[in-house]
Amino acid sequence: MCGIVGLYLKNKALESQLGELFEPMLIAMTDRGPDSAGFAIYGDEVPEGSIKLTLRHANEDYDWAGLAGKLKTELNVGVEWFNNSKVAIFKINTSDGIAEAFITENAPDVLILSAGQSIEILKEVGLPENIAKTFNLKGMKGSHIIGHTRMATESAVTMEGSHPFSTGMDLCLVHNGSLSNHNRLRQELQREGIVFETENDSEVAAGYLTWRLQQGDTLNEALTNSLKDLDGFFTFTVGTRDGFAVVRDPIACKPAVMAETDDYVAMASEYQALTTLPGIENAKIWEPEAATIYVWERSSDEGVK
């Protein structure tokens, strides 16, 4: 049992309040996932030709300044960075492949949690309330955010095994449920070049979506194919640079509820996580249909696809 929450802002005037609106949603899912928690927030974009990386080191006193200096000197690129607890956000004026290869070779003990132009992922082991405080979630700004609270069933309680999982540019996934064919799929995807960091079944789902997108699928097509290729029970919420998507398995085994107003779209595993949102009493509220894909993106603000 895990908890999922997501918030997509249609009203740009609320972007400075994104973290403040989202924090009580995440904490409300504590009973569904007290082991670990995390979230992916979108905003503060870097321009085309640059890359934003979320990096993590087990030592809170890691020398991020030294790593930034090496990047600047050896790659001759501009680097901006800041750190938040054990995580640092690096904005590098180069391509993702060059930056990631450099970090992998020169700082092998640094874990790359996400790469893109907008995404930042922050996650840790512990109670959601403590993790929210550690990263100052309440003070964060952005356009949309998805989060997860975990009660481990398929793998150990570790930071690496917590959600969200990101296996592609600005793409991440959170999952409530269990996949029965993840071992076979992992082997197939590895042969296609998808790299996994854990044995978690949810990371396989993220890797599958990355692979489908690499094959030319739209997000809607990738999620449609996931309904055929992923066996098990699931509610997925998927974050992208432009918005987020929600899909449930063909028998809708795992719970989900959604709310929409003129200002936002929100989802959660339980309604209680939505009750603190402004205007929730007048929102359109519904349970997502089985095997139906819901997508909201900045280009359209549309729902069911």
Side-chain angles (χ1 to χ4, degrees):
M1 183 172 72
C2 298
I4 295 176
V5 281
L7 181 61
Y8 169 82
L9 297 179
K10 297 157 69 175
N11 182 352
K12 292 184 180 295
L14 292 175
E15 291 186 1
S16 63
Q17 304 172 46
L18 180 63
E20 184 178 358
L21 294 171
F22 184 76
E23 183 181 72
M25 296 174 63
L26 186 71
I27 293 172
M29 291 291 93
T30 298
D31 287 345
R32 296 189 64 89
D35 297 342
S36 58
F39 54 91
I41 186 166
Y42 291 83
D44 188 26
E45 293 196 357
V46 298
E48 296 290 340
S50 295
I51 187 72
K52 182 163 73 167
L53 301 177
T54 308
L55 307 176
R56 183 188 185 276
H57 193 277
N59 182 356
E60 195 164 343
D61 296 322
Y62 181 75
D63 183 13
W64 297 112
L67 179 58
K70 285 184 180 179
L71 281 161
K72 290 178 182 178
T73 301
E74 298 187 29
L75 295 183
N76 192 28
V77 295
V79 179
E80 297 180 15
W81 68 277
F82 63 91
N83 74 294
N84 187 342
S85 185
K86 297 177 181 178
V87 171
I89 307 301
F90 272 52
K91 303 174 184 179
I92 309 168
N93 186 24
T94 189
S95 70
D96 62 305
I98 292 174
E100 290 187 62
F102 182 90
I103 290 169
T104 299
E105 180 178 351
N106 292 275
D109 51 345
V110 169
L111 183 64
I112 301 174
L113 295 180
S114 68
Q117 290 183 273
S118 180
I119 189 173
E120 299 173 19
I121 288 181
L122 300 105
K123 56 184 183 177
E124 286 291 347
V125 171
L127 290 171
E129 181 177 10
N130 295 339
I131 292 164
K133 289 180 180 178
T134 294
F135 293 122
N136 187 28
L137 171 57
K138 185 180 292 187
M140 291 187 173
K141 305 175 183 179
S143 56
H144 53 293
I145 185 170
I146 65 173
H148 185 271
T149 64
R150 184 174 184 232
M151 184 178 291
T153 56
E154 294 294 329
S155 56
V157 179
T158 64
M159 186 286 303
E160 290 83 358
S162 59
H163 302 217
F165 286 103
S166 180
T167 54
M169 291 285 287
D170 281 313
L171 178 76
C172 73
L173 173 144
V174 294
H175 170 209
N176 178 26
S178 178
L179 301 180
S180 58
N181 64 336
H182 63 96
N183 287 323
R184 175 180 59 79
L185 269 177
R186 180 183 286 106
Q187 293 174 350
E188 294 176 0
L189 291 168
Q190 285 173 329
R191 287 194 290 268
E192 297 292 336
I194 303 298
V195 177
F196 297 100
E197 301 291 340
T198 76
E199 296 299 314
N200 192 294
D201 61 329
S202 305
E203 189 181 16
V204 174
Y208 173 85
L209 294 180
T210 296
W211 174 68
R212 292 299 323 183
L213 293 171
Q214 289 175 351
Q215 303 311 300
D217 280 7
T218 64
L219 179 60
N220 183 61
E221 290 169 340
L223 289 169
T224 299
N225 282 312
S226 77
L227 291 168
K228 297 179 292 184
D229 293 339
L230 301 180
D231 293 333
F233 305 125
F234 55 83
T235 293
F236 293 143
T237 298
V238 179
T240 72
R241 181 182 177 187
D242 292 323
F244 82 141
V246 176
V247 63
R248 301 170 78 192
D249 65 69
I251 58 174
C253 180
K254 295 299 180 179
V257 60
M258 303 200 68
E260 183 170 14
T261 71
D262 291 340
D263 290 330
Y264 59 79
V265 180
M267 75 81 56
S269 296
E270 297 177 8
Y271 176 73
Q272 63 165 329
L274 307 178
T275 57
T276 56
L277 290 171
I280 191 65
E281 63 277 4
N282 298 314
K284 173 189 174 184
I285 298 186
W286 75 100
E287 180 180 343
E289 298 286 342
T292 301
I293 297 159
Y294 299 81
V295 180
W296 284 266
E297 293 181 319
R298 285 182 288 187
S299 58
S300 64
D301 280 351
E302 295 180 357
V304 181
K305 299 288 187 178

